[in-house]
């Protein structure tokens, strides 16, 4: 059976993807930092498909490399990597942000993604045609906004890293896609505001955002395309989200 490695599987897009791929019979390798949530996924999905959970932080390169070196033969070769682990912090203007929040986003969204990808590449290349690397980017990597600062920059890295991987992987059969969602209702805003439920509720109130299941469906679509097809970038917004005019600073009159 095909197998998928999903980072950040304990919530949001990663958790929804675990359910979607399990529904189709894929074996699951699920990583995250919250062991109790991973255990709950294993208990629920383990009766349907083979599930391996790995409690680790994507920022720990050695732990990632060791874990992927010791995967059971039943899960090899690896069919798909979903680089989902990531976060946004500090929606304030740059001049008000704590430097540690910038470092956390860089270490998770960039260094963590690089760590996992580097460790998984030999397994994906071993699979060859039809293998996929699906990176969770964001519209913030393409379209800047106030308070986006390092989060947006990290997602721009995700896009360019994926494009350059495509160049290096030419001839291996391994595909790479930057999947870039817009507004989606997950724990994203709760994490960004450090638990401010009112701020999260206000963001989604009165509109129809994307749901985690919407993105999971697109991830499954990308992973199951014919082996000769690669979608380089897929940007998805809810119908009720669009762009705004440029902001202009005007003299006070």
């Amino acid at each position: 059976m095909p197998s998928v490695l999903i980072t950040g599987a304990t919530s949001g897009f990663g958790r929804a993807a675990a359910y979607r791929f399990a529904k189709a019979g894929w074996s699951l390798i699920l990583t995250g930092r919250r062991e109790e949530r991973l255990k709950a996924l294993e208990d629920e999905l383990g009766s349907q498909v083979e599930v391996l959970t790995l409690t680790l932080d994507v920022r720990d390169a050695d732990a990632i490399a060791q874990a992927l070196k010791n995967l059971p033969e039943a899960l090899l070769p690896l069919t798909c990597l979903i680089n989902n682990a990531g976060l946004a912090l500090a929606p304030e203007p740059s001049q008000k942000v704590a430097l540690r929040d910038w470092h956390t986003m860089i270490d998770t969204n960039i260094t963590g993604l690089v760590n996992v990808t580097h460790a998984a590449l030999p397994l994906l290349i071993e699979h060859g045609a039809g293998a996929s690397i699906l990176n969770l980017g964001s519209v913030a990597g393409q379209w800047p906004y106030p308070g986006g600062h390092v989060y947006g920059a990290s997602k721009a890295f995700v896009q360019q890293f994926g494009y350059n991987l495509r160049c290096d992987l030419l001839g291996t059969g391994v595909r790479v896609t930057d999947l870039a969602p817009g507004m989606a209702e997950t724990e994203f805003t709760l994490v960004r505001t450090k638990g401010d439920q009112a701020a999260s509720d206000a963001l989604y109130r009165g509109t129809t955002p994307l749901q985690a299941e919407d993105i999971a469906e697109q991830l499954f679509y990308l992973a199951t395309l014919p082996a000769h097809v690669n979608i380089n970038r897929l940007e998805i917004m809810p119908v009720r989200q669009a762009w705004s005019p440029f902001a202009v600073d005007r003299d006070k009159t």
Side-chain angles (χ1 to χ4, degrees):
M1 294 302 297
S3 61
V4 57
L5 166 60
I6 305 172
T7 66
T10 55
S11 66
F13 303 150
R15 185 173 185 274
Y19 279 90
R20 181 62 185 90
F21 281 77
K23 181 181 176 182
W26 285 52
S27 299
L28 305 177
I29 307 161
L30 307 178
T31 82
R33 291 181 296 169
R34 290 175 283 191
E35 186 172 6
E36 71 285 354
R37 291 198 180 190
L38 287 174
K39 183 66 167 61
L41 280 171
E42 184 177 11
D43 289 345
E44 185 169 356
L45 300 177
S47 61
Q48 303 174 39
V49 296
E50 183 164 354
V51 180
L52 173 67
T53 59
L54 302 170
T55 305
L56 45 77
D57 190 324
V58 294
R59 294 174 292 183
D60 188 340
D62 290 340
I64 290 285
Q66 190 64 30
L68 296 193
K69 269 184 188 175
N70 294 300
L71 290 178
E73 285 295 325
L75 296 172
L76 297 175
L78 184 65
T79 312
C80 180
L81 164 63
I82 298 178
N83 275 315
N84 169 70
L87 78 169
L89 296 172
E92 302 84 12
S94 296
Q95 59 271 29
K96 296 183 179 180
V97 174
L99 181 59
R100 65 179 177 274
D101 286 339
W102 277 4
H103 285 172
T104 298
M105 286 186 281
I106 292 167
D107 292 344
T108 306
N109 300 354
I110 296 177
T111 305
L113 179 143
V114 166
N115 289 342
V116 177
T117 303
H118 189 269
L121 274 174
L123 306 178
L124 293 160
I125 291 170
E126 181 185 351
H127 185 290
S132 302
I133 300 172
L134 307 180
N135 295 326
L136 263 298
S138 170
V139 297
Q142 188 86 5
W143 310 106
Y145 62 88
H149 42 77
V150 165
Y151 175 70
S154 72
K155 292 305 182 177
F157 173 89
V158 172
Q159 178 180 335
Q160 284 300 318
F161 181 58
Y163 287 177
N164 283 278
L165 270 178
R166 282 271 290 121
C167 296
D168 292 339
L169 292 172
L170 187 66
T172 66
V174 180
R175 308 179 285 198
V176 187
T177 299
D178 174 43
L179 176 57
M183 179 187 285
E185 189 173 8
T186 64
E187 293 181 10
F188 177 88
T189 302
L190 272 180
V191 172
R192 189 170 207 183
T193 60
K194 299 182 179 177
D196 189 338
Q197 186 65 56
S200 180
D201 293 343
L203 178 64
Y204 305 119
R205 184 178 299 124
T207 189
T208 310
L210 299 169
Q211 300 298 311
E213 291 74 17
D214 299 324
I215 301 305
E217 193 63 42
Q218 296 307 310
L219 289 166
F220 184 74
Y221 163 73
L222 292 166
T224 54
L225 285 167
H228 68 286
V229 177
N230 190 103
I231 294 181
N232 298 324
R233 185 170 191 272
L234 181 57
E235 183 178 287
I236 307 172
M237 285 184 176
V239 172
R240 299 183 71 181
Q241 181 184 25
W243 305 275
S244 294
F246 285 112
V248 178
D249 179 30
R250 301 187 186 278
D251 294 335
K252 305 295 187 291
T253 57

